[in-house]
Amino acid sequence: MIKLGPGNLRIPKFEKPVYIVAAGQTDFRKKYPEKTTEELCIEAFSMAALENDLKVSLSELKRMVNFCVYSQFADHFGDQLLAASKIHDALGFDPLGNIEVKTGGATGGHSVLAGALAVASGYANCVPVVGFERMDEVPTRQGNAYIASAACKNFESELGWMYTAYYALMAQRYQYEHKVPRETLAKIAVKNHGYAVSSPFSQNPMRITVEDVLENTLVSDPLSFLECCVMSTGAAVLILADEETAYTITDQPIRLTAICSGTHTLRTADRRPMEVLRLPHEPEDLYKNYQHDWPGFSSFLAARMAAYLAYHMAGIKNPVEDLDILETHDAFTISDIQTYEDIGLRPYGRGREFIDSGECYHGGKLPTNLSGGLIGSMHAVGATGIFQINEIFWQLQQKWAKFHADPRMWERYGKTKPADFENLQVKNARRGAAISHAGTGSHVTMAILEKV
Amino acid sequence: MSIELTQPGCELLSAQPVVIKNVKNYFHIHTYGGLSPFFAGLREGKLLGTRCGNASCEEQRIFLPPRTHCPDCLSPSVWVEAPTVGEIYTHTEILYPGAGFKLTTPCPLISVSLEGVCTKMMSYLKEGQPRIGMKIKAVFNMEHPTHTILDLAWVPA
Ligand SMILES: [Zn+2]
């Protein structure tokens, strides 16, 4: 039994408000031999500096920077230790201080957290957060083995060398406890592949049906290929600043009102049952008759912890009511349903209702993964958490169309804007959230962004 | 005297951009350290878990996978034999494993629930079709051990 003390549940606070002032990214591809990782990061940083209507030039912006954060999941993939040093040099930031953050799939989210801590404390006042991953040097099977080396090498990795199998164990248990229909899981894959169609950045856009997903080849029962995230190469950058610096750089900064982190055992096996940690909007007796172990294999304590802290920190009383847009870490359809419950969109066991109600779609109450997510758009791991926040940032600035609808954006990546393109800008979006997630829930961050 | 190559160079996969094949072939020397009794136990057909060595610790159940120290009070653990009969907590089938997987596929992957054990270790079902709640017993690969977690498997009880 894990027992949390009052110190453990203290709500984090920033000494100074933290703002996001600019965002940039590359497109994401299965293979990207045309560009080195440094070129990808330069491209993403240049988009942030030059295409966000900033009031300062690229050179002026660079001279304002006093600390950098780099985000890369696995040195294995890029086969270059200290890659951040090459990128820092390529971006011309020497001799400024930097750190590289590593928390698996949640590296992007934690890198933004690290940058936010620097700004919030006054340690720095302008911090680029640069995320990248080069996953195209090895065949997919070797890539899966590399990813599974982020499971316990003594007791788990050998059992499949495949994270999908570890998630499938959770999926089967979730199905046994809560009986979510396969159709509901399939709808998530259909939605996210579908939204990816309207993104020039996306790697795996598809117009598919629920039947296509149900008939698709299984990777690990019950998860099919169409229900799993892509493996990508690409980069994403965002720039954080304190209030004074933010308004020097842009007239439209977006406030990062919270970014909070939670963790749980790397091995799903080790998760001992405990009392449900309730979110601000969950009544005291909500889980009085809950029949199953919590978190068990059906829930992510790390996500619940991150949401608990972030909602309190940002003053979110009820996520579905108070948020206008959301990006989840949809590594697999099943983990998306689990996350809906962990972050309180529905009580435990009822996550499917968030999909079935239609709230998750564009035009619904809380559109989710309009970027196409990890299933449809990208999972260049170190870039992922930053990409998600970038997409929310542009949505809150009402600039989604600028980065997605302009035919020249598509031409830039050798693509043609599709005839069935949809405008996915959420009208009057004021508040958004993004979830970054590692392992089978070993690390999770939740970021909350708010229009000023 | 001139300096010469002692090994073959890299294969050129593409001329523009220049893409080469960088072949790797190396090993790691890995220790199980304080967890060694578990892996030594598998060779003798024993399933060893750990219990907190501190009698006043709130967690007195067995950990399996074992831990050298209790995560709650950090006291050194004591080794105990875990039950070798239990049930399937959840399962899946590995169809497309990652590189380096040493078992045949499709391979039923399971999580095991054991009486008195507070964790649900991952393993595989060597025979039969898995279902949640199915009674199973441990079997050990003692003849040609791999010295990995693959030396433990389960069959219907
Ligand atoms: Zn103890």
Side-chain angles (χ1 to χ4, degrees), chain A residues 97-395:
Chain A
N98 74 39
I99 52 169
E100 187 176 353
V101 171
K102 279 198 166 28
T103 56
T107 299
H110 283 87
S111 296
V112 177
L113 171 60
L117 297 182
V119 171
S121 64
Y123 181 90
N125 62 13
C126 185
V127 180
V129 182
V130 180
F132 57 93
E133 205 78 42
R134 157 138 253 132
M135 304 181 85
D136 62 355
E137 286 209 357
V138 290
T140 304
R141 265 171 55 84
Q142 185 60 43
N144 278 317
Y146 280 167
I147 293 168
S149 51
C152 172
K153 70 175 184 177
N154 291 328
F155 295 99
E156 288 184 340
S157 301
E158 288 282 354
L159 292 159
W161 289 105
M162 185 68 174
Y163 246 97
T164 312
Y166 312 149
Y167 269 92
L169 286 175
M170 303 183 100
Q172 292 284 10
R173 185 69 200 184
Y174 186 98
Q175 299 275 36
Y176 174 79
E177 292 177 359
H178 304 305
K179 298 172 185 62
V180 53
R182 288 282 295 118
E183 286 75 9
T184 302
L185 291 177
K187 279 189 205 171
I188 298 172
V190 172
K191 171 173 80 71
N192 296 356
H193 283 294
Y195 286 145
V197 170
S198 298
S199 173
F201 306 107
S202 73
Q203 179 180 323
N204 216 3
M206 273 183 221
R207 293 277 182 219
I208 49 170
T209 64
V210 165
E211 289 67 42
D212 292 333
V213 179
L214 297 182
E215 287 163 16
N216 191 234
T217 310
L218 295 177
V219 190
S220 268
D221 187 22
L223 296 169
S224 70
F225 280 94
L226 288 169
E227 292 175 89
C228 301
C229 56
V230 291
M231 217 183 269
S232 319
T233 294
V237 170
L238 62 77
I239 298 170
L240 298 170
D242 67 6
E243 190 162 293
E244 193 187 338
T245 314
Y247 281 99
T248 308
I249 295 173
T250 175
D251 289 329
Q252 283 181 282
I254 297 294
R255 191 162 161 191
L256 182 66
T257 50
I259 180 161
C260 298
S261 164
T263 61
H264 208 186
T265 61
L266 181 62
R267 294 187 298 244
T268 323
D270 291 17
R271 296 180 185 170
R272 291 175 285 164
M274 60 184 282
E275 214 174 288
V276 179
L277 178 66
R278 280 182 302 107
L279 296 178
H281 64 293
E282 292 183 332
E284 208 170 321
D285 60 354
L286 184 61
Y287 298 116
K288 210 177 62 192
N289 299 317
Y290 192 63
Q291 300 288 319
H292 310 288
D293 280 351
W294 190 83
F297 278 41
S298 291
S299 309
F300 299 117
L301 172 59
R304 173 65 43 143
M305 183 72 177
Y308 174 90
L309 297 174
Y311 290 162
H312 281 287
M313 186 175 175
I316 303 278
K317 299 277 185 283
N318 183 329
V320 178
E321 300 299 328
D322 297 351
L323 297 171
D324 303 311
I325 184 164
L326 172 68
E327 287 283 325
T328 60
H329 185 99
D330 55 325
F332 304 96
T333 51
I334 184 65
S335 57
D336 221 37
I337 297 256
Q338 292 172 279
T339 301
Y340 302 154
E341 299 172 3
D342 295 318
I343 65 172
L345 307 184
R346 285 295 186 279
Y348 281 112
R350 289 169 50 192
R352 56 184 277 200
E353 292 171 22
F354 181 64
I355 295 293
D356 293 331
S357 68
E359 285 171 14
C360 62
Y361 294 93
H362 185 253
K365 238 173 162 179
L366 182 54
T368 300
N369 291 349
L370 297 179
S371 70
L374 282 65
I375 288 177
S377 258
M378 61 80 77
H379 194 17
V381 185
T384 302
I386 298 164
F387 162 84
Q388 295 172 304
I389 293 177
N390 287 356
E391 294 279 325
I392 300 277
F393 170 75
W394 289 326
Q395 283 275 3

Side-chain angles (χ1 to χ4, degrees), chain B residues 52 54 57 59 70 72-75:
Chain B
C52 179
N54 168 9
C57 179
E59 185 58 87
C70 168
D72 293 349
C73 71
L74 303 189
S75 300

Side-chain angles (χ1 to χ4, degrees), chain A residues 1-3 33-35 79 137 140-142 144-146 153-162 164-166 168-174 176-177 217-222 225 265 267-273 293 296-298, chain B residues 17-19 22 24 26 28 30-32 35 38-39 58-59 61 63-67 71-72 88-103 109-111 118-124 132-133 148-150 152:
Chain A
M1 177 83 183
I2 298 174
K3 282 192 179 154
E34 297 83 0
K35 292 170 188 172
D79 194 23
E137 286 209 357
T140 304
R141 265 171 55 84
Q142 185 60 43
N144 278 317
Y146 280 167
K153 70 175 184 177
N154 291 328
F155 295 99
E156 288 184 340
S157 301
E158 288 282 354
L159 292 159
W161 289 105
M162 185 68 174
T164 312
Y166 312 149
L169 286 175
M170 303 183 100
Q172 292 284 10
R173 185 69 200 184
Y174 186 98
Y176 174 79
E177 292 177 359
T217 310
L218 295 177
V219 190
S220 268
D221 187 22
F225 280 94
T265 61
R267 294 187 298 244
T268 323
D270 291 17
R271 296 180 185 170
R272 291 175 285 164
D293 280 351
F297 278 41
S298 291
Chain B
V18 176
V19 179
N22 197 356
K24 313 254 176 188
Y26 50 68
H28 282 230
H30 174 56
T31 177
Y32 291 122
L35 298 169
F38 174 85
F39 292 93
E58 278 186 32
E59 185 58 87
R61 294 173 295 178
F63 282 94
L64 188 71
R67 289 170 175 263
D72 293 349
I88 293 179
Y89 182 72
T90 185
H91 61 89
T92 183
E93 198 164 55
I94 301 165
L95 296 164
Y96 298 92
F101 185 59
K102 298 184 181 77
L103 302 171
L109 188 69
I110 57 174
S111 297
C118 64
T119 53
K120 299 191 170 62
M121 120 179 278
M122 192 190 284
S123 191
Y124 64 103
I132 290 175
T148 71
I149 194 62
L150 300 182
L152 170 68

